[in-house]
Amino acid sequence: MGEVEPGPAGPLEPPEPPEAPASRRPGGIRVLKRNMKRNGSRNCLNRRSRFGSRERDWLREDVRRGCVYLYGADSTTATASASASASSDLHLVLCTVETPASEICAGEGRESLYLQLHGDLVRRLEPTERPLQIVYDYLSRLGFDDPVRIQEEATDPDLGCMLRFYGEKPCQMDHLDRILLSGIYNVRKGKTQLHKWAERLVVLCGTCLIVSSVKDCQTGKMHILPLVGGKVEEVKRRQHSLAFSSAGAQAQTYHVSFETLAECQRWQRQASKVVSQRISTVDLSCYSLEEVPEHLFYSQDITYLNLRHNFMQLERPGGLDTLYRFSQLKGLNLSHNKLGLFPVLLCEISTLTELNLSCNGIHDLPSQIGSLLNLQTLCLDGNFLTTLPEELGNLQQLSSLGISFNNFSQIPEVYEKLSMLDKVVMAGNRLEVLKLGVLSRMSHIRHVDLRMNHLKTVVTENLEGNKYITHMDLRDNQLSDLDLSSLCSLEQLHCERNQLRELTLSGFSLRTLYASSNRLTAVNVYPVPSQLTSLELSRNLLECVPDWACEAKKMEILDVSYNLLTEVPMRILSSLSLRKLMVGHNQVQSLPVLAEHIPLEALDIQHNLLTRLPDTLFSKALNLRYLNASANSLDSLPSAGAGEESLSALQLLYLTNNLLTDQCVPVLVGHPHLRILHLANNQLQTFPASKLNKLEQLEELNLSGNKLKTIPTTIANCKRLHTLVAHSNNISIFPEILQLPQIQFVDLSCNDLTEILIPEALPATLQDLDLTGNTNLVLEHKTLDTFSHITTLKIDQKPLPTTDATLTSTFWSHGLAEMAGQRNKLCVSALAVDNFAEGVGAVYGMFDGDRNEELPRLLQCTMADVLLEEVQQSTNDTVFMANTFLVSHRKLGMAGQKLGSSALLCYIRPDTADPTSSFSLTVANVGTCQAVLCRSGKPVPLSKVFSLEQDPEEAQRVKDQKAIITENFAFCLSPRTTK
């Protein structure tokens, strides 16, 4: 069995290939001289979009030869390769990996070439950069490793949805509108009729309207009208006209007459955004800008300027070196601009209070930064910093400093001078040792964030302790033991996903402790934390709940799931403060009997060894709303209460995989507020109609894997039911569910249905109906037409009549069970091909789009065909699966660049030596879809979960790209800055 695991193709975009070094000698095509002369280029051959036989022969001679496609400026919205290839602006240029951009420009008569990745920003290529080498490096980084295959992929026009070259910079109209609007229009000054209409040049840029005479527009007088806080109104007496007014007592007004309604609406739409602002903010983010427009400098009232995610240059007419001209600028965002260097002239903007230079590949800060005395917020995350200059200590107003995801190996000493800071935020750096003595010298620091470093040791240098630190975050490090007892003021500690065996803390101020996913056998807290409210110790090696936790009088949440517990202490279950108790996946055999009323609201005891629940559970825990007791050995349920009138508040009840029989059903009636009820994989034979009739609040009902013959007709009284799952029973009569007004998902697969009674009108809410596995069910064409509006209808395909029995038999069989999910929206598609490639092989896949339905459907339709092509042309078993994922991603087009999807593919095929009895399984996956093999009743994972939280290698890969990973493991990927 082979296993191929390509990286995630979804939220994380592949990195931009490195740019070609200028030191390499450029060289291009030296053949096909007749064509080269005819096309006016010495070293590259220009075609429209298709290869001829001579071009193909020329490419085969050397894998370093290839082609790049040049798109016109109007091709930015092309989503299909066919339309793009047919575009009159598309040029095919044959070249080699040595051909520089300057040579292609000379042959095309262009000034520059531009590169766009994944439909995002467009950047100008340097003359020495080599486009074909960029394409080859890009494909290599994606995962293609065969040079011949890389050459083939590079010639595919479909690659344009992922990587695209332009002969001129593309500009979309909505982008241009937001940057600058200009034109020559009839203008009248003032609100009265005294002034005459005159032809003027009008510009809307930044926060102001600029009006000047057409003749002297560059040298004559310009009238500047500030718009922030002003008005823009339609002029009713003149068609397609707007009145622009400034704010204040000395307000001025200009009337502008436009030629068309569309033009008038464009100006009104953009001006309305400006006048509605309270402060003078200009947002020019994500525009591929290299400089700001010259007209922007007339907006002298600008206080906040956002230039995030551009390609701003230094020495240009509107480059970074000219931003000091904004005399009132307070906030400047230059994150994600590939700067490489800190722009020193920014230090002359003394008015700055906020500066964001995150994700720019900066290696060091200049000493001049100490002159920004008004700076309060400085963001430098996602760079390559190793030190901070001593002059940074001059910034005595600095209250926020972000240096996460840099290359620091220790906490900078300059923190001692920055007395306004109360946080050390250094996630994603390279600290291996944390010296608490260093933090003790910083009495102003309260919060310390050292997530995702390389911490192995925490050193306590003195016995005095630290009285200042209240919050510590040490998640995702390499700590094996942790003693923070010297932090006597510590209120919150995060230390998840380390390798901790023992943890020691001070309990004087402790309020919350998160220490899941370690190897803890002991947690020592002294004294007993009287303020503790939340304790999470899941996924450890604890054999008992710590004694001090039983004494915590204010604890509301306790999570000790996935440990080695054999009992739940009476003091825990009878706590008068506990609201949520998670004890799932342990070895608990019994729960203590409750003698007093408790405030417990949620109890998770799934996957234990319980044979019964306490008789007084429901009568004493009257606030219990959630109970999960699945995967135990329960054969009965306790009564909901002593009297006839039930006081139960239970809403969610999960009892899957127990030994429950029909006798448990009457007990359920005592919980009239049940919304979700799961009784799958038990021993139910009947569900009394009178009992189901009383569960009117049900929204989701799962009765799968039992021995039911019918679903009572009283299910029609469950008006709120949206999900019914009852597969793998003996149901012969279709239940009366098609009259329920909110029904969405119905799974009645693998039963004994023979016919379906359809009402006159189906509910409009019905989305998914699964009827597979009902061997005697035959649906007429009229019935199928009735179900035509359903998004997903699953029925068995009846084999065609044939005399060849081998063609009608299937070597493999499969089943599928689905649930609506937490969002009540199923965005999962499945692939199942039992006779793959007309043989005894099989392909199974699962595609999860999280919040979108489009990508899973596309992958379901195309991935098997891609796999077949790859298997047929591949001679290496270790690469065909990875190539299948890569090609499928390309075939998704622009949809694949905008939306992410987890995917899993399993390919079963016969061995060549013994094709009838021996098979191999190849598995590949991206994201969180997972393949699990059931062997001897135990799960055997066949694939990894590619998530930042569960896969350290994946997290490191993202960190290496200088991404900023948030606390909930979302991330923002910065553009590469190395050349």
Side-chain angles (χ1 to χ4, degrees):
M1 178 181 68
E3 183 171 328
V4 182
E5 295 169 342
L12 178 61
E13 296 179 355
E16 179 177 343
E19 301 163 353
S23 60
R24 294 284 295 270
R25 179 183 63 83
I29 297 173
R30 301 301 178 187
V31 296
L32 298 177
K33 293 183 178 179
R34 282 186 308 166
N35 289 336
M36 286 187 286
K37 291 180 180 179
R38 183 182 63 195
N39 288 283
S41 173
R42 295 173 299 153
N43 296 325
C44 50
L45 175 63
N46 186 348
R47 289 292 191 199
R48 272 297 177 192
S49 61
R50 298 192 179 277
F51 290 102
S53 59
R54 299 186 63 178
E55 286 85 348
R56 286 193 292 268
D57 292 341
W58 178 78
L59 289 176
R60 293 193 190 102
E61 294 176 4
D62 190 346
V63 294
R64 292 164 19 105
R65 298 173 180 176
C67 73
V68 294
Y69 292 93
L70 293 186
Y71 290 80
D74 60 347
S75 301
T76 55
T77 58
T79 57
S81 61
S83 62
S85 299
S87 172
S88 60
D89 288 339
L90 180 64
H91 292 263
L92 183 150
V93 178
L94 292 180
C95 56
T96 74
V97 294
E98 302 290 343
T99 306
S102 59
E103 194 168 331
I104 296 178
C105 288
E108 289 288 308
R110 306 285 186 181
E111 293 184 0
S112 301
L113 294 185
Y114 297 85
L115 172 64
Q116 182 183 40
L117 291 177
H118 313 289
D120 195 22
L121 300 190
V122 180
R123 74 169 179 89
R124 186 196 305 267
L125 292 179
E126 296 295 330
T128 55
E129 291 186 73
R130 296 166 294 167
L132 186 60
Q133 185 65 56
I134 290 177
V135 176
Y136 281 12
D137 289 343
Y138 175 87
L139 292 170
S140 177
R141 287 174 179 266
L142 274 182
F144 292 106
D145 54 6
D146 180 22
V148 176
R149 182 59 186 271
I150 290 176
Q151 184 186 50
E152 293 176 355
E153 288 292 319
T155 60
D156 195 320
D158 284 350
L159 190 63
C161 69
M162 303 165 70
L163 181 148
R164 180 175 292 193
F165 294 97
Y166 292 93
E168 56 184 309
K169 186 175 182 179
C171 295
Q172 297 182 3
M173 184 60 68
D174 57 340
H175 281 194
L176 292 175
D177 288 355
R178 287 180 57 188
I179 297 173
L180 183 144
L181 284 174
S182 66
I184 299 175
Y185 307 106
N186 285 322
V187 177
R188 190 186 75 195
K189 182 180 180 181
K191 297 182 179 180
T192 67
Q193 302 289 337
L194 298 178
H195 296 86
K196 297 182 178 180
W197 292 90
E199 197 174 65
R200 294 286 184 267
L201 174 66
V202 185
V203 177
L204 177 60
C205 183
T207 61
C208 67
L209 187 76
I210 304 172
V211 180
S212 61
S213 63
V214 177
K215 182 179 179 181
D216 301 320
C217 61
Q218 299 298 329
T219 58
K221 182 178 180 181
M222 292 188 177
H223 297 269
I224 312 298
L225 185 69
L227 292 179
V228 175
K231 295 180 181 179
V232 55
E233 301 172 306
E234 294 185 34
V235 179
K236 297 181 180 180
R237 297 182 180 180
R238 189 178 180 96
Q239 193 177 26
H240 310 326
S241 296
L242 296 175
F244 299 88
S245 302
S246 59
Q250 304 297 325
Q252 290 184 319
T253 301
Y254 280 92
H255 293 248
V256 181
S257 179
F258 300 93
E259 295 182 0
T260 65
L261 175 62
E263 200 170 22
C264 179
Q265 291 175 340
R266 284 173 55 203
W267 282 72
Q268 185 178 24
R269 185 166 53 247
Q270 186 60 25
S272 297
K273 297 178 182 177
V274 179
V275 300
S276 62
Q277 296 178 174
R278 294 184 179 181
I279 55 178
S280 300
T281 302
V282 174
D283 184 0
L284 297 179
S285 60
C286 306
Y287 283 155
S288 301
L289 292 178
E290 296 179 356
E291 58 184 355
V292 297
E294 177 64 25
H295 286 90
L296 189 66
F297 291 103
Y298 292 103
S299 301
Q300 284 298 306
D301 59 341
I302 293 179
T303 54
Y304 291 90
L305 179 59
N306 186 0
L307 294 170
R308 183 186 67 86
H309 210 7
N310 284 290
F311 299 104
M312 293 297 297
Q313 304 292 314
L314 293 175
E315 299 176 355
R316 297 182 71 94
L320 298 179
D321 288 351
T322 60
L323 296 184
Y324 68 89
R325 293 167 58 182
F326 294 111
S327 58
Q328 300 185 43
L329 193 62
K330 293 183 178 180
L332 177 61
N333 189 342
L334 284 169
S335 60
H336 299 269
N337 265 275
K338 296 191 64 174
L339 299 180
L341 298 173
F342 188 104
V344 178
L345 284 181
L346 294 183
C347 300
E348 296 185 7
I349 310 178
S350 59
T351 55
L352 280 179
T353 60
E354 299 180 17
L355 178 60
N356 191 337
L357 288 167
S358 299
C359 303
N360 273 295
I362 298 173
H363 287 78
D364 50 56
L365 302 182
S367 59
Q368 292 91 326
I369 196 172
S371 61
L372 296 176
L373 300 179
N374 292 313
L375 206 61
Q376 300 175 15
T377 300
L378 178 59
C379 298
L380 298 167
D381 304 310
N383 284 290
F384 295 95
L385 298 172
T386 57
T387 60
L388 295 178
E390 184 180 352
E391 290 79 4
L392 195 67
N394 298 339
L395 310 184
Q396 289 303 300
Q397 296 191 47
L398 194 67
S399 58
S400 178
L401 174 62
I403 55 173
S404 294
F405 299 95
N406 278 276
N407 296 337
F408 290 94
S409 59
Q410 59 185 4
I411 299 176
E413 295 181 359
V414 74
Y415 268 99
E416 296 182 31
K417 299 180 180 180
L418 300 171
S419 58
M420 291 293 290
L421 291 178
D422 65 350
K423 297 180 181 179
V424 172
V425 184
M426 295 184 62
N429 278 278
R430 299 183 177 179
L431 276 71
E432 295 185 2
V433 178
L434 172 59
K435 298 180 180 179
L436 296 180
V438 174
L439 294 174
S440 296
R441 296 195 295 268
M442 306 173 188
S443 59
H444 48 285
I445 297 298
R446 300 290 183 269
H447 296 239
V448 178
D449 182 358
L450 297 176
R451 295 178 297 118
M452 305 184 75
N453 275 269
H454 304 293
L455 288 175
K456 299 178 181 178
T457 307
V458 176
V459 178
T460 302
E461 299 175 337
N462 55 65
L463 300 177
E464 296 181 3
N466 186 305
K467 301 179 182 179
Y468 315 110
I469 295 177
T470 60
H471 292 72
M472 180 79 76
D473 194 337
L474 300 174
R475 279 177 284 180
D476 300 283
N477 278 284
Q478 302 168 25
L479 296 166
S480 57
D481 293 285
L482 183 59
D483 186 346
L484 296 179
S485 57
S486 61
L487 305 184
C488 55
S489 297
L490 189 65
E491 298 178 6
Q492 182 182 93
L493 173 64
H494 277 282
C495 57
E496 303 99 301
R497 293 177 297 280
N498 278 273
Q499 301 169 20
L500 294 175
R501 296 186 296 268
E502 188 169 353
L503 175 62
T504 303
L505 301 173
S506 168
F508 283 110
S509 304
L510 193 64
R511 294 178 180 270
T512 54
L513 172 59
Y514 306 96
S516 60
S517 301
N518 282 285
R519 302 172 183 175
L520 289 170
T521 58
V523 181
N524 307 309
V525 179
Y526 182 82
V528 173
S530 60
Q531 303 298 318
L532 185 69
T533 59
S534 181
L535 176 60
E536 295 192 10
L537 299 172
S538 63
R539 299 184 185 275
N540 280 286
L541 302 175
L542 296 173
E543 296 182 357
C544 60
V545 179
D547 288 339
W548 56 265
C550 301
E551 301 295 332
K553 302 299 183 182
K554 294 185 178 180
M555 187 163 59
E556 298 179 359
I557 299 174
L558 174 61
D559 186 353
V560 286
S561 56
Y562 292 94
N563 276 281
L564 304 175
L565 303 182
T566 57
E567 64 176 358
V568 177
M570 180 65 184
R571 290 177 296 174
I572 288 293
L573 195 59
S574 61
S575 169
L576 297 181
S577 62
L578 197 64
R579 299 290 189 273
K580 183 177 182 180
L581 177 60
M582 316 291 285
V583 201
H585 297 271
N586 279 281
Q587 301 172 17
V588 177
Q589 299 182 12
S590 63
L591 294 178
V593 178
L594 296 175
E596 303 292 338
H597 288 281
I598 59 174
L600 194 67
E601 298 175 0
L603 175 61
D604 188 339
I605 50 174
Q606 62 178 305
H607 289 269
N608 276 285
L609 305 176
L610 298 171
T611 58
R612 61 181 298 140
L613 297 176
D615 293 336
T616 57
L617 176 62
F618 295 127
S619 60
K620 298 300 181 181
L622 295 178
N623 293 329
L624 192 66
R625 289 174 170 80
Y626 170 92
L627 173 61
N628 190 339
S630 299
N632 281 282
S633 300
L634 302 176
D635 57 7
S636 63
L637 296 176
S639 173
E644 296 183 0
E645 190 68 27
S646 174
L647 299 178
S648 171
L650 194 65
Q651 297 182 15
L652 291 82
L653 179 58
Y654 298 89
L655 296 168
T656 297
N657 198 16
N658 277 284
L659 304 174
L660 297 173
T661 63
D662 301 354
Q663 296 179 0
C664 77
V665 177
V667 179
L668 299 175
V669 179
H671 307 287
H673 302 292
L674 275 179
R675 295 189 297 108
I676 296 178
L677 175 59
H678 284 204
L679 288 169
N681 297 333
N682 280 280
Q683 299 179 11
L684 300 179
Q685 296 186 8
T686 60
F687 201 113
S690 61
K691 306 304 180 184
L692 184 58
N693 186 45
K694 297 182 179 181
L695 299 177
E696 297 180 351
Q697 304 298 315
L698 274 183
E699 299 176 9
E700 183 176 306
L701 177 60
N702 190 333
L703 298 171
S704 302
N706 284 282
K707 301 176 182 179
L708 297 173
K709 295 182 179 180
T710 60
I711 301 290
T713 58
T714 51
I715 196 173
N717 292 334
C718 303
K719 302 297 184 181
R720 299 184 180 183
L721 194 72
H722 59 68
T723 298
L724 173 64
V725 181
H727 66 76
S728 306
N729 279 281
N730 301 319
I731 299 173
S732 58
I733 301 176
F734 193 83
E736 297 184 11
I737 53 174
L738 297 183
Q739 298 179 2
L740 296 175
Q742 300 183 29
I743 193 69
Q744 299 177 17
F745 184 97
V746 178
D747 185 354
L748 291 169
S749 59
C750 300
N751 278 284
D752 297 329
L753 295 175
T754 56
E755 61 179 353
I756 300 178
L757 299 177
I758 303 177
E760 295 181 359
L762 291 178
T765 56
L766 186 60
Q767 299 178 9
D768 199 306
L769 177 60
D770 191 345
L771 299 173
T772 56
N774 290 276
T775 55
N776 297 322
L777 179 64
V778 178
L779 298 181
E780 300 178 352
H781 289 290
K782 181 180 179 181
T783 303
L784 294 176
D785 291 340
T786 305
F787 288 136
S788 61
H789 77 282
I790 301 177
T791 304
T792 304
L793 174 62
K794 299 175 183 176
I795 56 176
D796 291 326
Q797 293 184 351
K798 302 299 180 182
L800 296 174
T802 177
T803 57
D804 190 349
T806 60
L807 297 178
T808 61
S809 63
T810 300
F811 192 87
W812 304 95
S813 62
H814 68 273
L816 179 67
E818 298 174 321
M819 288 298 295
Q822 294 181 352
R823 302 184 186 93
N824 291 330
K825 182 180 181 182
L826 190 65
C827 298
V828 176
S829 293
L831 170 67
V833 182
D834 298 329
N835 295 309
F836 184 67
E838 299 181 355
V840 295
V843 173
Y844 302 104
M846 190 70 66
F847 314 106
D848 184 358
D850 189 27
R851 296 176 182 271
N852 75 84
E853 299 173 328
E854 180 182 0
L855 253 62
R857 306 288 185 191
L858 291 173
L859 291 171
Q860 180 187 32
C861 296
T862 61
M863 209 159 189
D865 294 334
V866 175
L867 175 62
L868 182 59
E869 294 178 6
E870 293 296 331
V871 170
Q872 291 174 345
Q873 71 180 33
S874 175
T875 59
N876 190 338
D877 289 352
T878 62
V879 300
F880 73 83
M881 204 68 142
N883 288 351
T884 298
F885 275 70
L886 297 173
V887 173
S888 297
H889 182 65
R890 168 169 56 77
K891 286 183 176 294
L892 290 174
M894 293 307 299
Q897 316 311 317
K898 297 177 181 178
L899 304 173
S901 176
S902 295
L904 168 70
L905 201 62
C906 300
Y907 176 34
I908 305 174
R909 57 178 176 163
D911 286 340
T912 54
D914 187 6
T916 58
S917 61
S918 181
F919 294 84
S920 64
L921 170 64
T922 306
V923 179
N925 75 297
V926 294
T928 56
C929 286
Q930 191 173 12
V932 179
L933 177 67
C934 183
R935 177 164 290 174
S936 300
K938 296 182 180 180
V940 180
L942 299 181
S943 60
K944 296 172 65 175
V945 176
F946 289 99
S947 67
L948 301 184
E949 187 175 6
Q950 299 186 43
D951 186 1
E953 294 181 5
E954 183 67 14
Q956 187 61 45
R957 187 176 75 88
V958 174
K959 281 179 59 179
D960 291 342
Q961 298 300 318
K962 286 301 173 185
I964 300 174
I965 303 175
T966 63
E967 293 184 9
N968 61 352
F969 288 92
F971 64 89
C972 180
L973 185 63
S974 65
R976 291 182 62 87
T977 57
T978 55
K979 293 189 178 182

